[in-house]
Amino acid sequence: MKKHILITGANSGIGLKAFEKSIKKGYLAIAAVRDPNSMSEVIKHKNLKEEDHLIAKLDMRDEDSIYGLITKLKKERITIDYAVLNAGFIKTAPSLMTTKENINDHLLVNYTNQVLLAQLIVKSFFLKKKAGSLVAISSSAAIDANPGRLAYAASKSALSTAIRVMSKEFGKLNIRCNIVAPGLTDTGLMHDSTQKEEIEKFINSISINRIGLPEEIADLILFLCSENSKYLTGQVISCDGGIR
């Protein structure tokens, strides 16, 4: 039977590559995105078959949207085997210029509502069959505390810790929870939030002298979803070209 994978933020960058690669692996790929129309060009360009994918609306700023996604899937009797929490938010600022609003925005999108979605996925799909793999996308910033990323790094660090807690609670039920922490990756989000000088400095500081590619992060994500990683849980796996 075809496995079903839910990927949030699947309309660009890492999420898009994970979506495309999931279909190539024979999964039913469910793209949960804020603007479903943003997937139209991808579907057309890749000549994807209707039976290989599903597009659903999800706004990680809106709690009702999160509940609505789960309700829609259950109503249409679509189950989830793997879930990739990829959608996120970043707005950089020096520490002394980071506002309370900025902090709250990061926590809402990158932590609070991610945890809510994870809870609903486990309750609605994983518990019944006592199986499932959840992969949350954090960031190397959560580990390295990069300047200018106070709110972002804190929110991603909180997410990583929450997913690790879940891994300890759900492991006995054959539900695995892992975290991927990419370094600088060649996505629009990265280029929008990182100055060119910072990118060059980063490249010169790592073992593999280049930024990562979205497909490389996607390969790790799909490995963590698959049975090839069935003894892996509760891990924060850096994919950053060798920062440390």
Side-chain angles (χ1 to χ4, degrees):
M1 179 178 275
K2 181 178 283 196
K3 295 289 187 181
H4 295 183
I5 182 169
L6 174 70
I7 305 169
T8 69
N11 55 338
S12 64
I14 294 168
L16 177 56
K17 288 301 179 183
F19 176 78
E20 293 173 356
K21 285 176 175 284
S22 296
I23 292 174
K24 288 181 180 177
K25 281 183 173 289
Y27 300 158
L28 173 70
I30 303 164
V33 295
R34 189 162 53 178
D35 178 13
N37 291 328
S38 65
M39 294 298 296
S40 299
E41 193 61 34
V42 175
I43 303 303
K44 182 180 178 181
H45 180 67
K46 298 290 181 179
N47 291 317
L48 300 179
K49 298 177 182 176
E50 260 187 53
E51 60 267 27
D52 291 337
H53 68 274
L54 176 69
I55 311 301
K57 183 174 178 57
L58 174 67
D59 185 348
M60 289 303 296
R61 294 178 181 272
D62 183 0
E63 187 175 307
D64 289 340
S65 179
I66 296 169
Y67 280 104
L69 170 67
I70 301 301
T71 299
K72 172 184 170 65
L73 295 174
K74 290 169 70 175
K75 186 176 180 180
E76 297 183 10
R77 298 190 177 183
I78 297 168
T79 189
I80 301 296
D81 299 291
Y82 314 129
V84 181
L85 307 185
N86 171 71
F89 168 76
I90 181 171
K91 184 178 180 181
T92 60
S95 296
L96 296 182
M97 296 178 67
T98 300
T99 64
K100 181 179 178 180
E101 181 183 16
N102 190 338
I103 293 170
N104 288 339
D105 285 346
H106 278 88
L107 289 175
L108 178 66
V109 175
N110 293 345
Y111 173 65
T112 306
N113 282 348
Q114 301 285 349
V115 171
L116 172 62
L117 179 57
Q119 290 172 324
L120 291 174
I121 289 168
V122 172
K123 286 179 185 177
S124 301
F125 305 109
F126 291 177
L127 282 182
K128 184 182 293 186
K129 55 188 176 184
K130 292 187 178 180
S133 179
L134 181 81
V135 180
I137 309 307
S138 181
S139 169
S140 62
I143 302 168
D144 299 319
N146 307 105
R149 285 167 163 75
L150 186 153
Y152 178 72
S155 66
K156 287 294 191 177
S157 180
L159 174 62
S160 296
T161 300
I163 298 301
R164 289 180 62 224
V165 170
M166 288 183 176
S167 76
K168 292 182 182 296
E169 294 181 359
F170 304 144
K172 60 183 175 291
L173 299 173
N174 196 35
I175 297 169
R176 298 185 298 108
C177 305
N178 289 291
I179 304 100
V180 172
L184 288 187
T185 307
D186 191 12
T187 66
L189 186 67
M190 186 278 287
H191 287 289
D192 289 343
S193 62
T194 312
Q195 294 181 353
K196 186 177 179 181
E197 296 76 16
E198 290 182 58
I199 297 173
E200 291 174 353
K201 184 178 178 181
F202 174 83
I203 290 171
N204 291 330
S205 70
I206 62 174
S207 302
I208 299 174
N209 296 125
R210 62 173 176 82
I211 60 175
L213 300 176
E215 50 265 40
E216 293 169 329
I217 313 301
D219 284 337
L220 175 57
I221 291 168
L222 295 181
F223 166 73
L224 291 172
C225 288
S226 76
E227 288 299 301
N228 293 327
S229 63
K230 61 186 177 183
Y231 199 56
L232 265 176
T233 195
Q235 302 305 303
V236 180
I237 302 179
S238 296
C239 192
D240 55 24
I243 293 175
R244 283 156 230 98

